[in-house]
Amino acid sequence: MDQPAAPDSTAWPFPFPHQDWEQTPPAVQAYLLATQHDLTQLRDLQSRVAVLEARLKQDSTTSHRPPSSDSPYKKPRQRSASATPRKAGGKPGHVGHRQVLLPPTAVHELHPERCACGHTAFGMTTPYQTHQVLELPPIEMEVTHWVLHRGCCLGCGTWNNAQVPPEHATGYGPRFSALIGELAGTYGNGRRMVQTFCASVLRVPLSLGAIQKVLDRVTQAIAPHYEAIALHARRAPVNYIDETSWFLTNTLHWLWVMASDTVALYMIHPHRSKEAFAALIDDWEGLLVSDGYGVYQSWVQARQTCLAHLIRTARGLAARPQPDLAACGAWALTELQRLCHMATAPPTGGAWRAWYARLCTLIDRYHDRQDDAGRFARRLLREMDSLWVFLAQQGVEPTNNRAERALRFGVLWRKRSQGTASVKGNRWVERILSLKETCRLQARSTYTVLVDAVSSLFTGRQPELAWIGQK
């Protein structure tokens, strides 16, 4: 009968009791082997518990979870007792933003009436201040009735009906249609909220079906804008790309965004894949700023990885109870934050070489480990060339915050409405979000653009598109 192999004495938490395994009685051998198996299983379970507890404690500061997923009972970080409490509002030296004086519709001159000494005559009066009062005028809808007549032709006897002019055929004018598009799209209100607003403020009763027909026309009206935004986005030298989940009749889809410094292009796709990424970018070959998603890592052109994602991962490691994992996370957190600050304070040659040496030491120390510290070190090594592209390329940010901010409104829309119910709804979301974010990037009025777009649709002319892509 074969002799059982001796247990690994280095795995025991106390000195191995028998140096001569062959002289150990079989019963003791069986007991020791069973004990070693139990110890190994215990270590595996402890490791799994530690990983699960760390995952349970994750929040938006230590993982990729959105802030909305944080517990409402989590207390905000308290300042230290020695720190001087700061009052809310603008701090000393902050440049204020006063109300802009708008062109007046009426002007009233006010003069001093009585002095404290009792005199009422004043000389050399000059204006010293303009007090502006804003008020909304009474809202009265312009309602035009087109009375259609019919008549009998005196030549052939055929009855002919008058036709409504094409620009008035829908029954809702461009400004009113643009307002409904603004309420439902730019502000993300539901159909019933738009219905309530129109009935309460405008005193116009609308059915939900009528509102949907107006939004369908607005969707059609801004199709040229969406195409122009896509064209400029795919010509931009730098784009920030991200994606988030979306739902089409409870089926998982993905909302993608490609944002530059002037335009933002949105797309809803059934998949989160290489094919979806290719459909978004088309023939674009510029510099990509993104998170560490595998499809982005295979980008053959230059890429800046989002340092904020790496910083959150490092912060999560630093909060782990295991001392070695926490040490790795704290070290990586310090170095990545220092790298991120270089975007506003470029380092000297010596400071850069010292930082690079510390990063290489960190990766070399933890690279061969099989735990989370090793996986994070190997990720840093894999994305090494994408960590500091922002230092060499002008106009590149070290984080993907531009795309994440662009997706934020889409996330709120998804949470309110649970997504869309049709492909037609997807086209509405894509186009209005693209127009809304592009107008925000260029400080333009979305409502003004919508009025021009709907007017162009009704009259059959080309809308104004020259502003798209301008800086």
Side-chain angles (χ1 to χ4, degrees), residues 76-240:
R77 289 177 291 180
Q78 300 290 335
R79 296 182 179 273
S80 60
S82 59
T84 304
R86 297 171 58 186
K87 295 176 61 177
K91 304 302 180 286
H94 172 71
V95 179
H97 300 279
R98 298 182 61 85
Q99 173 64 47
V100 178
L101 288 178
L102 304 176
T105 56
V107 177
H108 300 280
E109 302 284 346
L110 296 178
H111 298 273
E113 297 179 355
R114 180 181 295 275
C115 181
C117 67
H119 285 79
T120 58
F122 299 89
M124 299 183 295
T125 58
T126 57
Y128 78 98
Q129 181 182 346
T130 299
H131 177 69
Q132 180 176 260
V133 177
L134 302 179
E135 174 60 306
L136 188 68
I139 300 177
E140 295 291 340
M141 298 294 292
E142 294 181 0
V143 181
T144 303
H145 287 187
W146 296 83
V147 181
L148 307 182
H149 291 263
R150 61 182 307 185
C152 180
C153 177
L154 298 180
C156 64
T158 303
W159 286 90
N160 291 267
N161 298 331
Q163 301 296 323
V164 179
E167 59 271 22
H168 302 291
T170 64
Y172 303 103
R175 292 192 297 273
F176 185 55
S177 299
L179 177 62
I180 293 178
E182 181 89 355
L183 293 172
T186 306
Y187 303 112
N189 292 305
R191 307 296 186 268
R192 294 192 182 277
M193 292 291 292
V194 175
Q195 184 185 47
T196 302
F197 175 87
C198 291
S200 175
V201 179
L202 306 179
R203 298 193 298 278
V204 177
L206 288 178
S207 67
L208 297 180
I211 294 174
Q212 184 59 51
K213 288 182 179 179
V214 172
L215 294 181
D216 291 343
R217 297 188 192 103
V218 176
T219 304
Q220 182 182 357
I222 61 178
H225 299 75
Y226 184 76
E227 295 174 359
I229 290 172
L231 180 63
H232 284 86
R234 289 160 181 162
R235 291 179 178 176
V238 181
N239 269 315
Y240 301 76

